Amino acid sequence: MSQSNIESVLHEARVFPANPQFAREARIGDESLAALHRRAESDPVGYWSDLARSEITWHKPFTQTLDDSAAPNYRWFADGELNVSYNCLDVHLAEHANRTAIIFEGEPGDTRRLTYRQLHAEVCLFANALKARGIRRGDRVVIYMPLVPEAVIAMQACARIGAIHSVVFGGFSAVSLKDRIEGAGARCVITADGGRRGGNIVELKAATDKALAEGCPTVESVFVLQRTGEPVPMQAGRDIWWHEAIVGLSDQCEPEWVDAEHPLFLLYTSGSTGRPKGIQHSSAGYLLGAKMTSRWVFDLRVDDVFWCTADVGWITGHSYVTYGPLAAAATIVMYEGAPTYPDGGRFWSLCERHGVTVFYTAPTAIRALMKLGEEIPAKYDLSKIRLLGSVGEPINPEAWMWYHRVIGQGRCPIVDTWWQTETGAIMISPIPGVTPTKPGSCTQPLPGIFADIVDDEGRSVTTPDAGGYLVIRKPWPSMLRTIWGDNERYLKTYWEKFQNKFYVAGDSAHRDADGYFWIMGRIDDVLNVAGHRLGTMEIESALVAHPRIAEAAVVGKQHEIKGESVFAFVVCRGARPTGDTRAFEKELRDWVTEQLGAIAKPDDIRFAENLPKTRSGKIMRRLLRAIARGEPITQDVSTLENPAIIDQLRGLG
Ligand code: WTA
């Protein structure tokens, strides 16, 4: 990668000091933040050790904080024993049993509340149901569900018995589901008859049946939640209704005490090459990261109503729906459906009706809602909201300002939180009562997180606004442990570039004169479409699996709402389709939807006789990106075998 590729282009000068009223009541003030930073810098291991002792309830305390003997396969608190579900539920029963844990609203408008006591009972019941089907510590369980309380219950139940969950986003196709079930070697799938989204039914059981019909020999049991009530076939011996599975079972379930390093979950995410990677997280280190950041970044207290809009199919839904806020004894809101169903006021109406105090969403949602006009949020009472958050992609200053002015009414701090599936928890973010914010910057690393920006040789980039690789210099407890079943790939993807010296995030970034971080985007072939990571290779493989496609190259194009959209250049077997190709384009879009899921569907498809390649045969992606974005071509194209294809790629020939 050349440095010019990652030169900074943003120039944003506005600064918003911390709101003094917020600061007075904040969990972390100026001085405590400075003290935490000092402690973390002078003794990073001692810093994490103190936190792990004070924040986690241990069944058996640990004696060694960090084991770096097999670095970069770090281990944290390794000889300690705990249970994550115990730390999210049981620890609150003495003081907060009757406090609301979950406020749920379905897309059709049905609502449900669960107190901590009720949630505890539901988790225990379902944990016993899993055990009754022979699921034990270390077994993998795939969860493919709508965003309903049972998704959280299923995850917590797995944690309770030491089973390793792998949640697959309900928007992924049967083919993706099958790949993930097989990758994890799951013994069990937990799904629902369907979920509701945008007025439609998402047929989860049908997709599960399809996945299982085509492989997945390890799956013995399928639990099916009744959500829509639509009839679905049940396979005798294999499939069991959730509500029948729990009949007659106890609502108490002794937690399975596991080692700190016991895998809590796998979560598949896209990389630049090959198949999605099963990111493996630990129990104690992960819990510590999710809990601490929930309390520090979201300033969560027991009387907060926290709504993180992410689906549990993504890491954000793991750390800030299922684990972090529950460990902090807060109340969470879960909403099953689409942000604009039945109209663009749904999010704001939910905030008003449920008294949301802290709201966390993605820039893509903010932009979509912004486009609908500020008259819509103006109709709702948003006065209870005290803090706003953003995650998943860089937020453009215009969307930041709208969020600040219209939703935050100028009063609420905004925390723009940078992190990844791999980091487990927020890494770079303002502390809301302290850090002055700048629209578009995630500001500065949290205490104990040694983020830096380095050049190709691994030297720290100190010139303000000069771009480089975003890296983390020291291990941290909630970091991924490995890639499931492929430690080589873990080493290669995250550590090899700088000889294991630091974790390479795969993002480029720059720092301004105040030391604020500005994330510029991925440096690998990963797209960020509506805050979701998609590997270009995955989409290319899906396209070439179509019988008429010989070759494909996928790049990202800027998109007003989604941030980036999928742009595919395609070479067909035989003659290049010309004239009206709309029907064939639709066929290809449907094909990709079927292979991967609707989020991976190309917005643009362009047919060419061949793809531009370097002499060594590498596809010239930078050229394709320029063409997709309608930018001038700066590459040397004189060596192309067939210069006429440039016009074809541009859609002119
Ligand atoms: C991007 C989501 C800019 C980044 C939690 C990262 C961001 C990828 C931000 C991880 C942010 C996430 N500002 N970019 N605040 N947050 N990203 O694994 O490119 O789904 O590497 O985790 O999203 O996406 P993932």
Side-chain angles (χ1 to χ4, degrees):
M1 176 189 59
S2 75
Q3 287 301 307
S4 62
N5 255 357
I6 49 176
E7 278 308 282
S8 112
V9 285
L10 262 172
H11 289 286
E12 172 62 49
R14 284 170 289 203
V15 182
F16 294 83
N19 171 336
Q21 195 193 333
F22 190 101
R24 264 197 303 281
E25 290 158 16
R27 188 183 273 286
I28 296 198
D30 236 333
E31 280 166 30
S32 39
L33 182 61
L36 287 167
H37 274 295
R38 274 197 307 274
R39 170 88 174 114
E41 263 145 49
S42 65
D43 177 12
V45 173
Y47 162 86
W48 288 120
S49 161
D50 290 352
L51 287 174
R53 276 178 231 280
S54 63
E55 297 299 327
I56 292 179
T57 303
W58 294 92
H59 180 65
K60 177 177 158 244
F62 60 95
T63 59
Q64 186 188 17
T65 302
L66 173 63
D67 172 3
D68 57 5
S69 58
N73 287 110
Y74 294 98
R75 292 153 55 83
W76 288 88
F77 323 120
D79 61 347
E81 282 176 21
L82 78 165
N83 180 279
V84 171
S85 154
Y86 183 89
N87 272 274
C88 292
L89 303 171
D90 304 52
V91 296
H92 306 318
L93 293 184
E95 269 182 69
H96 307 300
N98 296 322
R99 225 173 243 292
T100 305
I102 299 180
I103 302 174
F104 167 71
E105 184 164 310
E107 194 178 76
D110 51 318
T111 60
R112 219 171 119 196
R113 281 172 177 258
L114 289 160
T115 62
Y116 270 93
R117 188 196 308 286
Q118 289 166 331
L119 180 60
H120 178 267
E122 297 278 345
V123 168
C124 288
L125 271 172
F126 194 66
N128 285 328
L130 289 170
K131 288 210 294 202
R133 277 282 177 132
I135 304 299
R136 297 280 177 267
R137 169 201 294 248
D139 287 343
R140 273 82 61 206
V141 172
V142 163
I143 298 177
Y144 185 59
M145 293 189 80
L147 193 52
V148 295
E150 282 78 5
V152 169
I153 293 167
M155 293 163 83
Q156 289 280 352
C158 287
R160 195 158 192 94
I161 63 171
I164 304 168
H165 62 67
S166 170
V167 183
V168 178
F169 174 54
F172 279 132
S173 68
V175 180
S176 303
L177 175 64
K178 169 180 167 279
D179 285 349
R180 285 158 172 77
I181 292 172
E182 289 183 343
R187 286 188 67 192
C188 164
V189 178
I190 306 171
T191 186
D193 47 4
R196 293 181 189 274
R197 181 107 191 153
N200 300 314
I201 285 183
V202 185
E203 294 183 345
L204 298 167
K205 177 63 163 61
T208 305
D209 287 339
K210 194 159 171 231
L212 297 186
E214 284 166 19
C216 312
T218 52
V219 174
E220 295 158 10
S221 310
V222 178
F223 290 87
V224 187
L225 175 77
Q226 196 163 46
R227 168 68 188 141
T228 63
E230 295 291 314
V232 293
M234 297 289 280
Q235 184 176 311
R238 186 193 74 181
D239 301 353
I240 179 166
W241 288 105
W242 178 302
H243 58 271
E244 287 173 5
I246 58 176
V247 170
L249 298 180
S250 163
D251 63 2
Q252 296 297 318
C253 173
E254 175 68 10
E256 185 81 13
W257 306 109
V258 298
D259 295 343
E261 284 293 309
H262 182 73
L264 178 64
F265 65 85
L266 313 178
L267 184 58
Y268 280 81
T269 188
S270 295
S272 47
T273 53
R275 300 177 142 210
K277 322 172 266 207
I279 302 299
Q280 179 180 323
H281 277 288
S282 69
S283 294
Y286 172 81
L287 173 68
L288 180 61
K291 180 175 180 184
M292 292 317 304
T293 51
S294 294
R295 296 180 46 185
W296 293 358
V297 175
F298 298 115
D299 196 48
L300 284 190
R301 304 133 195 272
V302 290
D303 53 357
D304 268 310
V305 178
F306 178 52
W307 184 17
C308 162
T309 67
D311 192 280
V312 291
W314 311 106
I315 190 69
T316 308
H318 284 60
S319 303
Y320 302 108
V321 177
T322 304
Y323 292 111
L326 293 182
T331 298
I332 61 167
V333 172
M334 293 179 75
Y335 166 58
E336 175 187 32
T340 50
Y341 187 87
D343 59 50
R346 186 65 182 263
F347 265 18
W348 317 126
S349 151
L350 271 145
C351 287
E352 174 184 287
R353 283 179 294 109
H354 301 303
V356 171
T357 59
V358 181
F359 180 71
Y360 187 36
T361 196
T364 183
I366 298 169
R367 287 190 296 262
L369 295 166
M370 176 170 88
K371 239 187 132 193
L372 302 177
E374 51 191 88
E375 331 62 87
I376 298 180
K379 284 192 249 165
Y380 299 92
D381 177 4
L382 303 177
S383 62
K384 286 236 172 76
I385 300 182
R386 63 185 191 93
L387 175 61
L388 298 171
S390 169
V391 62
E393 55 183 307
I395 179 166
N396 48 314
E398 190 198 353
W400 196 103
M401 287 306 300
W402 186 85
Y403 202 29
H404 173 73
R405 187 173 54 79
V406 178
I407 307 306
Q409 300 171 341
R411 165 190 84 238
C412 304
I414 296 181
V415 288
D416 176 357
T417 61
W418 178 87
W419 60 296
Q420 309 177 293
T421 304
E422 292 86 342
T423 67
I426 294 169
M427 303 287 278
I428 309 181
S429 164
I431 293 292
V434 181
T435 320
T437 51
K438 305 184 188 187
S441 167
C442 52
T443 76
Q444 292 184 310
L446 298 180
I449 303 301
F450 295 85
D452 198 1
I453 294 170
V454 301
D455 65 16
D456 248 316
E457 273 70 56
R459 285 178 305 236
S460 198
V461 173
T462 49
T463 321
D465 301 330
Y469 299 88
L470 180 59
V471 300
I472 314 294
R473 288 189 168 275
K474 288 189 202 304
W476 66 101
S478 68
M479 67 195 297
L480 78 164
R481 294 305 192 259
T482 185
I483 292 173
W484 179 255
D486 196 350
N487 198 52
E488 274 308 304
R489 192 169 174 201
Y490 165 74
L491 300 174
K492 205 162 152 12
T493 309
Y494 304 108
W495 300 94
E496 194 175 68
K497 167 118 187 115
F498 298 111
Q499 301 82 44
N500 297 351
K501 277 196 303 242
F502 21 76
Y503 168 83
V504 185
D507 281 352
S508 63
H510 67 95
R511 229 173 333 205
D512 66 19
D514 297 327
Y516 274 43
F517 284 70
W518 299 76
I519 308 295
M520 289 141 71
R522 303 287 309 185
I523 45 180
D524 50 12
D525 292 322
V526 173
L527 308 184
N528 191 329
V529 177
H532 303 320
R533 278 164 68 170
L534 295 171
T536 50
M537 273 262 304
E538 278 170 75
I539 308 173
E540 287 161 8
S541 321
L543 283 166
V544 296
H546 186 282
R548 277 187 65 193
I549 303 300
E551 207 178 5
V554 164
V555 297
K557 175 184 173 183
Q558 314 89 309
H559 187 279
E560 201 188 343
I561 290 172
K562 296 191 275 191
E564 233 176 346
S565 66
V566 178
F567 197 119
F569 295 94
V570 170
V571 179
C572 289
R573 295 178 197 282
R576 178 169 75 103
T578 49
D580 188 355
T581 53
R582 277 174 301 181
F584 186 43
E585 286 173 32
K586 180 174 183 305
E587 182 181 329
L588 291 179
R589 281 193 195 100
D590 292 346
W591 174 262
V592 173
T593 304
E594 173 135 355
Q595 298 285 309
L596 295 172
I599 49 171
K601 197 163 61 175
D603 278 14
D604 297 89
I605 299 178
R606 206 144 288 163
F607 300 101
E609 276 156 26
N610 45 47
L611 295 174
K613 304 220 174 106
T614 61
R615 288 192 185 177
S616 59
K618 263 189 91 180
I619 292 176
M620 298 171 74
R621 284 181 183 280
R622 210 142 65 83
L623 173 68
L624 291 177
R625 256 194 298 269
I627 292 173
R629 296 174 183 196
E631 292 165 358
I633 294 174
T634 53
Q635 290 83 357
D636 178 11
V637 292
S638 59
T639 54
L640 284 179
E641 233 170 84
N642 174 8
I645 61 159
I646 298 285
D647 278 345
Q648 291 178 8
L649 296 165
R650 279 185 165 141
L652 302 173

